[in-house]
Amino acid sequence: MTLDALRTVEAFSDASGVRGLQAGETLFREGDGGDRLYGLLEGSIELRSAGSSTGERITAGHVFGAAALATGEHRRRVTAVALEPCRLLELGREEFLFALQETPMFSLALIAGLEERLEQLKAGGH
């Protein structure tokens, strides 16, 4: 299901929405304003919370960052750091809302992706 969400992000973003990160580079920090959703094409990202000793590993094919777009405060709740060189798609808030409106299955794919990530965290995986 996560690949379906990534395909939707690809469909609603343009070529200028592809971004590269080097290993160790920070994409965003906890507390930053959040106006973008990200689809990870290559590499891996770790989401780190200030109060936690472990992070969550996001791998290629997954979409992340939607929480900042969906909450009223539009703030990042974690810091995202590239674990290796990465290529990401960026989708702005307006495009995100348009994608939700035009492709209702995108919402289900996002929910399924979040559920998958929660299950992995509960199982002790990153």
Side-chain angles (χ1 to χ4, degrees):
M1 267 305 211
T2 56
L3 287 177
D4 291 335
L6 182 60
R7 284 190 197 109
T8 302
V9 171
E10 286 176 314
F12 285 92
S13 64
D14 59 28
S16 66
V18 177
R19 179 175 181 174
L21 291 176
Q22 296 302 314
E25 193 173 345
T26 299
L27 178 61
F28 54 77
R29 297 188 185 285
E30 188 172 348
D32 286 353
D35 63 351
R36 300 220 171 290
L37 170 87
Y38 298 94
L40 189 54
L41 297 170
E42 296 174 8
S44 60
I45 300 272
E46 185 173 58
L47 303 180
R48 303 172 182 166
S49 178
S52 176
S53 60
T54 60
E56 177 188 2
R57 186 183 185 117
I58 304 294
T59 56
H62 286 85
V63 173
F64 65 98
L69 297 172
T71 61
E73 61 191 36
H74 304 297
R75 294 274 170 216
R76 299 290 180 191
R77 296 194 170 129
V78 294
T79 296
V81 178
L83 296 174
E84 58 190 302
C86 296
R87 281 185 54 240
L88 306 107
L89 285 169
E90 296 183 325
L91 192 65
R93 187 166 195 276
E94 287 183 24
E95 293 86 1
F96 169 71
L97 295 174
F98 185 73
L100 288 175
Q101 179 181 343
E102 293 300 311
T103 55
M105 293 305 292
F106 180 46
S107 300
L108 293 176
L110 286 175
I111 292 168
L114 288 172
E115 181 66 25
E116 180 183 323
R117 287 171 49 197
L118 284 172
E119 289 301 318
Q120 287 175 354
L121 285 173
K122 282 198 266 182
H126 300 282

